[in-house]
Short mmCIF file of all heavy atoms in Angstrom, two decimals:
data_model
loop_
_atom_site.label_atom_id
_atom_site.label_comp_id
_atom_site.label_asym_id
_atom_site.label_seq_id
_atom_site.Cartn_x
_atom_site.Cartn_y
_atom_site.Cartn_z
N MET T 1 0.88 -1.19 0.01
CA MET T 1 0.00 0.04 0.01
C MET T 1 0.95 1.19 0.01
O MET T 1 1.71 1.39 0.85
CB MET T 1 -0.91 -0.04 1.24
CG MET T 1 -1.92 1.12 1.29
SD MET T 1 -3.09 0.69 2.57
CE MET T 1 -3.56 2.37 2.94
N SER T 2 0.72 2.10 -0.96
CA SER T 2 1.48 3.20 -1.11
C SER T 2 0.70 4.56 -0.85
O SER T 2 -0.40 4.59 -1.35
CB SER T 2 2.10 3.24 -2.49
OG SER T 2 2.80 4.49 -2.73
N ALA T 3 1.27 5.41 0.02
CA ALA T 3 0.58 6.63 0.23
C ALA T 3 1.00 7.74 -0.69
O ALA T 3 0.46 8.89 -0.61
CB ALA T 3 0.90 7.09 1.71
N VAL T 4 1.99 7.48 -1.48
CA VAL T 4 2.47 8.54 -2.39
C VAL T 4 1.60 8.60 -3.65
O VAL T 4 1.28 7.55 -4.22
CB VAL T 4 3.92 8.20 -2.91
CG1 VAL T 4 4.35 9.26 -3.92
CG2 VAL T 4 4.86 8.13 -1.72
N SER T 5 1.03 9.77 -3.86
CA SER T 5 0.16 9.92 -5.13
C SER T 5 1.02 10.29 -6.30
O SER T 5 1.94 11.04 -6.23
CB SER T 5 -0.84 10.96 -4.85
OG SER T 5 -0.22 12.26 -4.63
N THR T 6 0.64 9.77 -7.41
CA THR T 6 1.34 10.09 -8.66
C THR T 6 0.47 11.08 -9.44
O THR T 6 -0.72 11.04 -9.29
CB THR T 6 1.58 8.83 -9.48
OG1 THR T 6 0.38 8.13 -9.75
CG2 THR T 6 2.53 7.90 -8.69
N PRO T 7 1.16 11.83 -10.24
CA PRO T 7 0.35 12.78 -11.07
C PRO T 7 -0.66 12.02 -11.98
O PRO T 7 -0.29 11.06 -12.60
CB PRO T 7 1.39 13.49 -11.88
CG PRO T 7 2.65 13.33 -11.19
CD PRO T 7 2.59 12.02 -10.45
N GLY T 8 -1.87 12.46 -11.99
CA GLY T 8 -2.84 11.86 -12.84
C GLY T 8 -3.69 10.79 -12.13
O GLY T 8 -4.63 10.37 -12.71
N SER T 9 -3.25 10.37 -10.96
CA SER T 9 -3.97 9.38 -10.29
C SER T 9 -5.04 9.90 -9.36
O SER T 9 -5.93 9.18 -8.92
CB SER T 9 -3.06 8.49 -9.41
OG SER T 9 -2.44 9.26 -8.42
N GLY T 10 -5.01 11.20 -9.07
CA GLY T 10 -5.99 11.76 -8.17
C GLY T 10 -7.24 12.20 -8.87
O GLY T 10 -7.35 12.03 -10.05
N SER T 11 -8.13 12.83 -8.14
CA SER T 11 -9.38 13.27 -8.78
C SER T 11 -9.25 14.67 -9.28
O SER T 11 -10.10 15.13 -9.97
CB SER T 11 -10.47 13.25 -7.64
OG SER T 11 -10.09 14.09 -6.60
N ILE T 12 -8.13 15.33 -8.98
CA ILE T 12 -7.96 16.66 -9.54
C ILE T 12 -7.40 16.61 -11.01
O ILE T 12 -6.48 15.90 -11.28
CB ILE T 12 -6.85 17.45 -8.71
CG1 ILE T 12 -7.35 17.57 -7.21
CG2 ILE T 12 -6.63 18.87 -9.27
CD1 ILE T 12 -6.40 18.18 -6.24
N ALA T 13 -8.13 17.29 -11.85
CA ALA T 13 -7.74 17.23 -13.28
C ALA T 13 -6.46 17.99 -13.43
O ALA T 13 -6.19 19.00 -12.97
CB ALA T 13 -8.82 17.79 -14.08
N GLU T 14 -5.64 17.46 -14.37
CA GLU T 14 -4.42 18.12 -14.67
C GLU T 14 -4.65 19.26 -15.70
O GLU T 14 -5.57 19.09 -16.52
CB GLU T 14 -3.39 17.10 -15.33
CG GLU T 14 -2.87 16.09 -14.37
CD GLU T 14 -1.90 15.21 -14.97
OE1 GLU T 14 -1.32 15.62 -16.04
OE2 GLU T 14 -1.59 14.11 -14.46
N PRO T 15 -3.98 20.33 -15.58
CA PRO T 15 -4.19 21.47 -16.55
C PRO T 15 -3.79 21.04 -17.94
O PRO T 15 -2.73 20.32 -18.10
CB PRO T 15 -3.36 22.53 -15.98
CG PRO T 15 -2.31 21.96 -15.05
CD PRO T 15 -2.93 20.67 -14.53
N ILE T 16 -4.46 21.49 -18.86
CA ILE T 16 -4.21 21.19 -20.27
C ILE T 16 -3.55 22.45 -20.80
O ILE T 16 -4.01 23.53 -20.67
CB ILE T 16 -5.48 20.91 -21.04
CG1 ILE T 16 -6.21 19.74 -20.45
CG2 ILE T 16 -5.19 20.68 -22.51
CD1 ILE T 16 -7.57 19.49 -21.04
N PRO T 17 -2.34 22.20 -21.40
CA PRO T 17 -1.66 23.40 -21.96
C PRO T 17 -2.40 24.03 -23.05
O PRO T 17 -2.99 23.30 -23.87
CB PRO T 17 -0.25 22.92 -22.47
CG PRO T 17 -0.28 21.39 -22.18
CD PRO T 17 -1.57 20.99 -21.55
N ILE T 18 -2.39 25.33 -23.13
CA ILE T 18 -3.06 26.01 -24.18
C ILE T 18 -2.13 26.27 -25.33
O ILE T 18 -1.08 26.76 -25.15
CB ILE T 18 -3.60 27.37 -23.66
CG1 ILE T 18 -4.55 27.14 -22.49
CG2 ILE T 18 -4.34 28.27 -24.75
CD1 ILE T 18 -4.86 28.49 -21.82
N ARG T 19 -2.59 25.94 -26.46
CA ARG T 19 -1.78 26.09 -27.73
C ARG T 19 -2.16 27.42 -28.31
O ARG T 19 -3.30 27.73 -28.58
CB ARG T 19 -1.99 25.00 -28.74
CG ARG T 19 -1.45 23.74 -28.21
CD ARG T 19 -1.69 22.60 -29.26
NE ARG T 19 -1.12 21.38 -28.80
CZ ARG T 19 -0.13 20.72 -29.44
NH1 ARG T 19 0.42 21.32 -30.46
NH2 ARG T 19 0.37 19.64 -28.92
N ILE T 20 -1.16 28.30 -28.49
CA ILE T 20 -1.42 29.55 -29.12
C ILE T 20 -0.70 29.56 -30.50
O ILE T 20 0.48 29.40 -30.55
CB ILE T 20 -0.82 30.78 -28.32
CG1 ILE T 20 -1.53 30.69 -26.93
CG2 ILE T 20 -1.07 32.10 -29.00
CD1 ILE T 20 -0.94 31.76 -25.96
N PRO T 21 -1.38 29.69 -31.58
CA PRO T 21 -0.80 29.65 -32.94
C PRO T 21 0.15 30.80 -33.09
O PRO T 21 -0.01 31.95 -32.58
CB PRO T 21 -1.93 29.75 -33.87
CG PRO T 21 -3.18 29.51 -33.10
CD PRO T 21 -2.92 29.88 -31.67
N VAL T 22 1.25 30.54 -33.85
CA VAL T 22 2.25 31.59 -34.11
C VAL T 22 1.55 32.79 -34.82
O VAL T 22 2.02 33.90 -34.61
CB VAL T 22 3.35 31.00 -34.94
CG1 VAL T 22 4.38 32.07 -35.37
CG2 VAL T 22 4.12 29.91 -34.11
N ARG T 23 0.63 32.43 -35.69
CA ARG T 23 -0.09 33.57 -36.38
C ARG T 23 -0.72 34.59 -35.45
O ARG T 23 -0.84 35.74 -35.79
CB ARG T 23 -1.11 32.92 -37.27
CG ARG T 23 -1.83 33.80 -38.32
CD ARG T 23 -2.73 33.05 -39.16
NE ARG T 23 -3.47 31.98 -38.48
CZ ARG T 23 -4.01 30.87 -39.08
NH1 ARG T 23 -3.89 30.81 -40.31
NH2 ARG T 23 -4.54 29.97 -38.42
N GLU T 24 -1.14 34.19 -34.27
CA GLU T 24 -1.74 35.09 -33.37
C GLU T 24 -0.65 35.75 -32.49
O GLU T 24 -0.88 36.88 -31.94
CB GLU T 24 -2.69 34.31 -32.40
CG GLU T 24 -3.98 33.85 -33.12
CD GLU T 24 -4.89 33.14 -32.13
OE1 GLU T 24 -4.71 33.37 -30.89
OE2 GLU T 24 -5.78 32.40 -32.61
N ILE T 25 0.49 35.17 -32.30
CA ILE T 25 1.58 35.73 -31.46
C ILE T 25 2.36 36.78 -32.22
O ILE T 25 2.88 37.69 -31.68
CB ILE T 25 2.40 34.62 -30.82
CG1 ILE T 25 1.56 33.87 -29.84
CG2 ILE T 25 3.60 35.21 -30.21
CD1 ILE T 25 2.35 32.74 -29.24
N LEU T 26 2.61 36.47 -33.50
CA LEU T 26 3.46 37.22 -34.34
C LEU T 26 3.22 38.78 -34.37
O LEU T 26 4.19 39.50 -34.10
CB LEU T 26 3.53 36.67 -35.78
CG LEU T 26 4.67 37.19 -36.62
CD1 LEU T 26 6.03 36.83 -36.02
CD2 LEU T 26 4.56 36.67 -38.03
N PRO T 27 2.04 39.21 -34.53
CA PRO T 27 1.90 40.64 -34.44
C PRO T 27 2.22 41.32 -33.05
O PRO T 27 2.82 42.37 -33.03
CB PRO T 27 0.32 40.86 -34.69
CG PRO T 27 -0.03 39.60 -35.36
CD PRO T 27 0.76 38.53 -34.87
N TRP T 28 1.97 40.60 -32.00
CA TRP T 28 2.34 41.11 -30.69
C TRP T 28 3.79 41.02 -30.47
O TRP T 28 4.37 41.93 -29.83
CB TRP T 28 1.59 40.25 -29.60
CG TRP T 28 0.13 40.59 -29.56
CD1 TRP T 28 -0.83 39.83 -30.06
CD2 TRP T 28 -0.42 41.70 -28.93
NE1 TRP T 28 -2.09 40.44 -29.79
CE2 TRP T 28 -1.87 41.63 -29.10
CE3 TRP T 28 0.02 42.86 -28.34
CZ2 TRP T 28 -2.74 42.55 -28.73
CZ3 TRP T 28 -0.86 43.77 -27.82
CH2 TRP T 28 -2.27 43.64 -28.01
N ALA T 29 4.41 40.00 -30.99
CA ALA T 29 5.87 39.96 -30.84
C ALA T 29 6.57 41.11 -31.62
O ALA T 29 7.53 41.66 -31.16
CB ALA T 29 6.43 38.60 -31.44
N ILE T 30 6.05 41.34 -32.78
CA ILE T 30 6.64 42.52 -33.59
C ILE T 30 6.32 43.79 -32.86
O ILE T 30 7.26 44.64 -32.80
CB ILE T 30 6.03 42.55 -35.06
CG1 ILE T 30 6.47 41.28 -35.84
CG2 ILE T 30 6.36 43.79 -35.70
CD1 ILE T 30 5.83 41.07 -37.15
N PHE T 31 5.14 43.98 -32.35
CA PHE T 31 4.83 45.18 -31.53
C PHE T 31 5.71 45.35 -30.38
O PHE T 31 6.30 46.43 -30.09
CB PHE T 31 3.38 45.18 -31.21
CG PHE T 31 2.93 46.33 -30.31
CD1 PHE T 31 2.91 47.64 -30.86
CD2 PHE T 31 2.57 46.10 -29.01
CE1 PHE T 31 2.47 48.70 -30.09
CE2 PHE T 31 2.11 47.19 -28.21
CZ PHE T 31 2.09 48.48 -28.81
N ILE T 32 5.95 44.33 -29.61
CA ILE T 32 6.76 44.41 -28.44
C ILE T 32 8.21 44.70 -28.82
O ILE T 32 8.94 45.41 -28.18
CB ILE T 32 6.67 43.06 -27.59
CG1 ILE T 32 5.30 42.81 -27.12
CG2 ILE T 32 7.69 43.05 -26.52
CD1 ILE T 32 4.80 43.66 -25.99
N ALA T 33 8.67 43.97 -29.89
CA ALA T 33 10.08 44.26 -30.37
C ALA T 33 10.20 45.76 -30.77
O ALA T 33 11.33 46.31 -30.51
CB ALA T 33 10.33 43.31 -31.52
N LEU T 34 9.21 46.26 -31.48
CA LEU T 34 9.28 47.65 -31.87
C LEU T 34 9.34 48.57 -30.62
O LEU T 34 10.08 49.59 -30.66
CB LEU T 34 8.08 48.01 -32.74
CG LEU T 34 8.09 49.32 -33.47
CD1 LEU T 34 9.26 49.44 -34.44
CD2 LEU T 34 6.82 49.63 -34.14
N LEU T 35 8.51 48.28 -29.62
CA LEU T 35 8.60 49.15 -28.45
C LEU T 35 9.95 49.05 -27.78
O LEU T 35 10.43 49.97 -27.27
CB LEU T 35 7.51 48.67 -27.50
CG LEU T 35 6.07 49.18 -27.73
CD1 LEU T 35 5.15 48.58 -26.68
CD2 LEU T 35 5.99 50.62 -27.75
N ALA T 36 10.51 47.84 -27.78
CA ALA T 36 11.87 47.64 -27.15
C ALA T 36 12.84 48.41 -27.88
O ALA T 36 13.74 49.00 -27.28
CB ALA T 36 12.13 46.08 -27.11
N VAL T 37 12.76 48.46 -29.21
CA VAL T 37 13.79 49.28 -29.98
C VAL T 37 13.60 50.75 -29.70
O VAL T 37 14.58 51.48 -29.47
CB VAL T 37 13.64 48.93 -31.46
CG1 VAL T 37 14.38 49.91 -32.30
CG2 VAL T 37 14.08 47.48 -31.75
N VAL T 38 12.43 51.19 -29.61
CA VAL T 38 12.11 52.67 -29.24
C VAL T 38 12.63 52.95 -27.87
O VAL T 38 13.34 53.95 -27.67
CB VAL T 38 10.59 52.94 -29.47
CG1 VAL T 38 10.34 54.34 -28.81
CG2 VAL T 38 10.26 52.86 -30.87
N LEU T 39 12.34 52.06 -26.92
CA LEU T 39 12.83 52.30 -25.54
C LEU T 39 14.40 52.20 -25.51
O LEU T 39 14.99 53.12 -24.85
CB LEU T 39 12.30 51.24 -24.65
CG LEU T 39 12.64 51.35 -23.22
CD1 LEU T 39 12.11 52.54 -22.58
CD2 LEU T 39 12.18 50.03 -22.41
N LEU T 40 14.97 51.34 -26.23
CA LEU T 40 16.45 51.24 -26.31
C LEU T 40 17.02 52.49 -26.92
O LEU T 40 18.08 52.96 -26.56
CB LEU T 40 16.91 50.05 -27.11
CG LEU T 40 18.36 49.68 -26.98
CD1 LEU T 40 18.70 49.30 -25.55
CD2 LEU T 40 18.61 48.47 -27.89
N TYR T 41 16.33 52.99 -27.97
CA TYR T 41 16.86 54.32 -28.56
C TYR T 41 16.75 55.44 -27.47
O TYR T 41 17.82 56.17 -27.31
CB TYR T 41 15.87 54.70 -29.69
CG TYR T 41 16.21 56.13 -30.09
CD1 TYR T 41 17.34 56.49 -30.81
CD2 TYR T 41 15.41 57.19 -29.73
CE1 TYR T 41 17.65 57.84 -31.18
CE2 TYR T 41 15.62 58.45 -30.00
CZ TYR T 41 16.78 58.78 -30.69
OH TYR T 41 17.05 60.12 -31.04
N PHE T 42 15.67 55.56 -26.75
CA PHE T 42 15.61 56.66 -25.78
C PHE T 42 16.56 56.49 -24.69
O PHE T 42 17.11 57.52 -24.16
CB PHE T 42 14.16 56.84 -25.25
CG PHE T 42 13.25 57.57 -26.17
CD1 PHE T 42 12.26 57.00 -26.93
CD2 PHE T 42 13.45 59.00 -26.34
CE1 PHE T 42 11.51 57.71 -27.82
CE2 PHE T 42 12.63 59.70 -27.17
CZ PHE T 42 11.62 59.04 -27.94
N VAL T 43 16.86 55.27 -24.31
CA VAL T 43 17.84 54.99 -23.20
C VAL T 43 19.22 55.25 -23.69
O VAL T 43 20.04 55.81 -23.10
CB VAL T 43 17.68 53.67 -22.61
CG1 VAL T 43 18.78 53.35 -21.65
CG2 VAL T 43 16.39 53.52 -21.86
N GLY T 44 19.49 54.70 -24.85
CA GLY T 44 20.89 54.72 -25.34
C GLY T 44 21.32 55.80 -26.28
O GLY T 44 22.56 56.17 -26.26
N ALA T 45 20.48 56.43 -27.08
CA ALA T 45 20.93 57.32 -28.05
C ALA T 45 20.24 58.70 -28.02
O ALA T 45 20.57 59.52 -28.92
CB ALA T 45 20.72 56.68 -29.47
N GLU T 46 19.38 58.98 -27.17
CA GLU T 46 18.66 60.21 -27.06
C GLU T 46 19.59 61.26 -26.42
O GLU T 46 19.35 61.60 -25.25
CB GLU T 46 17.30 59.99 -26.29
CG GLU T 46 16.56 61.28 -26.06
CD GLU T 46 16.00 61.93 -27.32
OE1 GLU T 46 15.93 61.25 -28.33
OE2 GLU T 46 15.71 63.14 -27.23
N GLU T 47 20.54 61.75 -27.18
CA GLU T 47 21.46 62.68 -26.61
C GLU T 47 22.19 63.37 -27.78
O GLU T 47 22.52 62.73 -28.79
CB GLU T 47 22.49 62.02 -25.74
CG GLU T 47 23.47 62.99 -25.10
CD GLU T 47 24.42 62.24 -24.18
OE1 GLU T 47 24.70 61.04 -24.44
OE2 GLU T 47 25.05 62.92 -23.32
N GLY T 48 22.40 64.63 -27.66
CA GLY T 48 23.27 65.43 -28.63
C GLY T 48 22.68 65.41 -30.08
O GLY T 48 21.48 65.69 -30.25
N ALA T 49 23.53 64.96 -30.98
CA ALA T 49 23.06 65.04 -32.45
C ALA T 49 21.95 64.10 -32.78
O ALA T 49 21.23 64.36 -33.64
CB ALA T 49 24.27 64.68 -33.32
N THR T 50 21.80 63.02 -32.02
CA THR T 50 20.80 62.04 -32.31
C THR T 50 19.49 62.31 -31.50
O THR T 50 18.52 61.54 -31.49
CB THR T 50 21.23 60.59 -32.01
OG1 THR T 50 21.57 60.54 -30.66
CG2 THR T 50 22.42 60.24 -32.87
N SER T 51 19.44 63.42 -30.87
CA SER T 51 18.26 63.76 -30.00
C SER T 51 17.09 64.12 -30.83
O SER T 51 17.09 64.98 -31.72
CB SER T 51 18.64 64.86 -29.05
OG SER T 51 17.64 65.21 -28.20
N LEU T 52 15.93 63.57 -30.46
CA LEU T 52 14.66 63.87 -31.12
C LEU T 52 13.87 64.96 -30.30
O LEU T 52 13.16 65.74 -30.86
CB LEU T 52 13.82 62.64 -31.19
CG LEU T 52 14.23 61.57 -32.17
CD1 LEU T 52 13.31 60.33 -32.11
CD2 LEU T 52 14.44 62.06 -33.58
N ILE T 53 14.11 64.92 -29.01
CA ILE T 53 13.43 65.87 -28.09
C ILE T 53 14.48 66.82 -27.53
O ILE T 53 15.48 66.39 -26.97
CB ILE T 53 12.74 65.17 -26.98
CG1 ILE T 53 11.70 64.14 -27.61
CG2 ILE T 53 12.06 66.10 -26.07
CD1 ILE T 53 11.06 63.29 -26.59
N SER T 54 14.28 68.13 -27.75
CA SER T 54 15.27 69.08 -27.31
C SER T 54 15.34 69.14 -25.80
O SER T 54 14.33 68.82 -25.07
CB SER T 54 14.98 70.47 -27.87
OG SER T 54 13.71 70.94 -27.34
N GLY T 55 16.48 69.52 -25.34
CA GLY T 55 16.65 69.58 -23.83
C GLY T 55 17.24 68.22 -23.31
O GLY T 55 17.50 67.33 -24.04
N HIS T 56 17.46 68.22 -22.01
CA HIS T 56 18.13 67.10 -21.36
C HIS T 56 17.12 66.21 -20.55
O HIS T 56 17.56 65.41 -19.78
CB HIS T 56 19.25 67.55 -20.55
CG HIS T 56 20.34 68.25 -21.30
ND1 HIS T 56 21.33 67.54 -21.90
CD2 HIS T 56 20.60 69.51 -21.53
CE1 HIS T 56 22.15 68.31 -22.53
NE2 HIS T 56 21.68 69.53 -22.29
N TYR T 57 15.82 66.55 -20.66
CA TYR T 57 14.87 65.88 -19.78
C TYR T 57 14.86 64.36 -20.00
O TYR T 57 14.89 63.60 -19.02
CB TYR T 57 13.43 66.40 -20.01
CG TYR T 57 13.43 67.90 -19.58
CD1 TYR T 57 13.16 68.88 -20.54
CD2 TYR T 57 13.48 68.26 -18.23
CE1 TYR T 57 13.16 70.21 -20.16
CE2 TYR T 57 13.40 69.54 -17.83
CZ TYR T 57 13.21 70.46 -18.82
OH TYR T 57 13.14 71.87 -18.45
N VAL T 58 14.84 63.94 -21.27
CA VAL T 58 14.74 62.47 -21.53
C VAL T 58 16.09 61.83 -21.07
O VAL T 58 16.13 60.77 -20.51
CB VAL T 58 14.54 62.21 -23.02
CG1 VAL T 58 14.58 60.73 -23.34
CG2 VAL T 58 13.17 62.79 -23.40
N HIS T 59 17.16 62.49 -21.38
CA HIS T 59 18.50 61.92 -21.00
C HIS T 59 18.59 61.76 -19.46
O HIS T 59 19.08 60.72 -19.00
CB HIS T 59 19.57 62.83 -21.55
CG HIS T 59 21.00 62.38 -21.15
ND1 HIS T 59 21.66 61.36 -21.74
CD2 HIS T 59 21.77 62.81 -20.16
CE1 HIS T 59 22.87 61.17 -21.26
NE2 HIS T 59 22.88 61.95 -20.20
N GLU T 60 18.20 62.82 -18.77
CA GLU T 60 18.31 62.81 -17.31
C GLU T 60 17.31 61.75 -16.68
O GLU T 60 17.66 61.12 -15.75
CB GLU T 60 18.05 64.11 -16.73
CG GLU T 60 19.12 65.14 -17.14
CD GLU T 60 20.50 64.80 -16.61
OE1 GLU T 60 20.68 64.16 -15.56
OE2 GLU T 60 21.44 65.11 -17.34
N TYR T 61 16.17 61.57 -17.39
CA TYR T 61 15.19 60.68 -16.83
C TYR T 61 15.68 59.21 -16.99
O TYR T 61 15.41 58.38 -16.05
CB TYR T 61 13.89 60.88 -17.63
CG TYR T 61 12.76 59.97 -17.04
CD1 TYR T 61 12.12 60.37 -15.84
CD2 TYR T 61 12.27 58.90 -17.73
CE1 TYR T 61 11.09 59.63 -15.33
CE2 TYR T 61 11.24 58.17 -17.15
CZ TYR T 61 10.67 58.46 -15.99
OH TYR T 61 9.65 57.73 -15.49
N VAL T 62 16.39 58.87 -18.03
CA VAL T 62 16.86 57.51 -18.29
C VAL T 62 18.26 57.35 -17.97
O VAL T 62 18.93 56.29 -18.32
CB VAL T 62 16.52 57.05 -19.67
CG1 VAL T 62 15.08 57.01 -20.02
CG2 VAL T 62 17.23 57.91 -20.68
N HIS T 63 18.87 58.27 -17.29
CA HIS T 63 20.32 58.34 -17.01
C HIS T 63 20.87 57.06 -16.31
O HIS T 63 21.89 56.45 -16.71
CB HIS T 63 20.71 59.61 -16.27
CG HIS T 63 22.18 59.82 -16.21
ND1 HIS T 63 22.90 59.81 -15.11
CD2 HIS T 63 23.07 60.12 -17.25
CE1 HIS T 63 24.20 60.03 -15.33
NE2 HIS T 63 24.23 60.21 -16.63
N ASP T 64 20.16 56.68 -15.28
CA ASP T 64 20.63 55.45 -14.51
C ASP T 64 20.55 54.21 -15.44
O ASP T 64 21.40 53.39 -15.36
CB ASP T 64 19.86 55.23 -13.27
CG ASP T 64 20.20 56.36 -12.19
OD1 ASP T 64 21.21 57.02 -12.35
OD2 ASP T 64 19.39 56.61 -11.33
N ALA T 65 19.48 54.12 -16.12
CA ALA T 65 19.36 52.91 -17.02
C ALA T 65 20.43 52.93 -18.12
O ALA T 65 20.92 51.85 -18.49
CB ALA T 65 17.92 52.97 -17.66
N ARG T 66 20.72 54.17 -18.51
CA ARG T 66 21.86 54.34 -19.54
C ARG T 66 23.09 53.70 -19.02
O ARG T 66 23.85 52.89 -19.65
CB ARG T 66 21.99 55.77 -19.85
CG ARG T 66 22.82 56.07 -20.88
CD ARG T 66 22.82 57.58 -21.09
NE ARG T 66 23.72 58.05 -22.22
CZ ARG T 66 23.30 58.24 -23.41
NH1 ARG T 66 22.09 58.04 -23.66
NH2 ARG T 66 24.11 58.58 -24.39
N HIS T 67 23.47 54.04 -17.74
CA HIS T 67 24.72 53.55 -17.12
C HIS T 67 24.58 52.09 -16.87
O HIS T 67 25.60 51.32 -17.01
CB HIS T 67 25.05 54.29 -15.92
CG HIS T 67 25.60 55.64 -16.15
ND1 HIS T 67 26.99 55.79 -16.33
CD2 HIS T 67 25.07 56.86 -16.22
CE1 HIS T 67 27.24 57.10 -16.57
NE2 HIS T 67 26.09 57.74 -16.55
N LEU T 68 23.46 51.61 -16.47
CA LEU T 68 23.23 50.18 -16.14
C LEU T 68 23.41 49.39 -17.36
O LEU T 68 24.03 48.32 -17.30
CB LEU T 68 21.86 50.01 -15.57
CG LEU T 68 21.43 48.57 -15.14
CD1 LEU T 68 22.24 48.11 -13.95
CD2 LEU T 68 19.97 48.45 -14.92
N LEU T 69 22.99 49.81 -18.54
CA LEU T 69 23.11 49.05 -19.73
C LEU T 69 24.47 49.25 -20.42
O LEU T 69 24.78 48.60 -21.43
CB LEU T 69 22.05 49.40 -20.69
CG LEU T 69 20.62 49.03 -20.29
CD1 LEU T 69 19.64 49.59 -21.24
CD2 LEU T 69 20.54 47.54 -20.13
N GLY T 70 25.29 50.15 -19.88
CA GLY T 70 26.73 50.27 -20.39
C GLY T 70 26.87 51.23 -21.56
O GLY T 70 27.86 51.16 -22.24
N PHE T 71 25.86 52.08 -21.76
CA PHE T 71 26.10 53.06 -22.89
C PHE T 71 27.01 54.16 -22.42
O PHE T 71 26.95 54.57 -21.22
CB PHE T 71 24.72 53.68 -23.23
CG PHE T 71 23.81 52.79 -24.06
CD1 PHE T 71 22.82 52.06 -23.42
CD2 PHE T 71 24.04 52.59 -25.42
CE1 PHE T 71 22.04 51.24 -24.12
CE2 PHE T 71 23.21 51.72 -26.10
CZ PHE T 71 22.25 51.03 -25.54
N PRO T 72 27.85 54.68 -23.28
CA PRO T 72 28.73 55.77 -22.91
C PRO T 72 27.92 57.09 -22.60
O PRO T 72 26.92 57.32 -23.34
CB PRO T 72 29.61 55.90 -24.16
CG PRO T 72 28.90 55.30 -25.24
CD PRO T 72 28.02 54.25 -24.73
N CYS T 73 28.33 57.80 -21.67
CA CYS T 73 27.55 58.96 -21.34
C CYS T 73 28.36 60.13 -21.10
O CYS T 73 28.40 61.08 -21.89
CB CYS T 73 26.74 58.65 -20.05
SG CYS T 73 25.61 59.89 -19.50
N HIS T 74 29.14 60.15 -19.98
CA HIS T 74 30.00 61.35 -19.70
C HIS T 74 31.34 60.90 -19.16
O HIS T 74 31.52 59.73 -18.97
CB HIS T 74 29.35 62.25 -18.69
CG HIS T 74 28.71 61.52 -17.55
ND1 HIS T 74 29.51 61.19 -16.41
CD2 HIS T 74 27.42 61.10 -17.25
CE1 HIS T 74 28.69 60.65 -15.52
NE2 HIS T 74 27.53 60.48 -16.08
ZN1 ZN W 1 26.02 59.45 -17.15
#
């Protein structure tokens, strides 16, 4: 007589993995990748000649992230 329960032997139903087709994920993956590139631009290159927004507000706002990711700064 064994007191150890094995998966699938109990009355609790096992969760069934949900299959998500690549066709449904692809637009979201592209959107997230695009957002990541924009965020990476603002963290890493939004300064000086490559600046899209005048002033230092964006640079100062993401300054710590800039140093954390190893972008040259000052
Ligand atoms: Zn810096």
Side-chain angles (χ1 to χ4, degrees):
M1 183 168 156
S2 174
V4 178
S5 65
T6 58
S9 65
S11 62
I12 300 173
E14 291 184 20
I16 300 170
I18 300 172
R19 292 179 178 248
I20 302 173
V22 174
R23 189 175 35 203
E24 291 182 18
I25 292 178
L26 192 61
W28 288 101
I30 292 171
F31 177 66
I32 299 287
L34 190 64
L35 281 181
V37 167
V38 169
L39 182 65
L40 192 62
Y41 167 78
F42 277 106
V43 171
E46 175 66 19
E47 182 183 23
T50 60
S51 179
L52 293 177
I53 300 171
S54 63
H56 295 276
Y57 295 111
V58 175
H59 177 81
E60 294 300 327
Y61 187 74
V62 297
H63 192 245
D64 290 342
R66 188 179 180 94
H67 281 276
L68 181 69
L69 294 175
F71 286 100
C73 185
H74 48 83

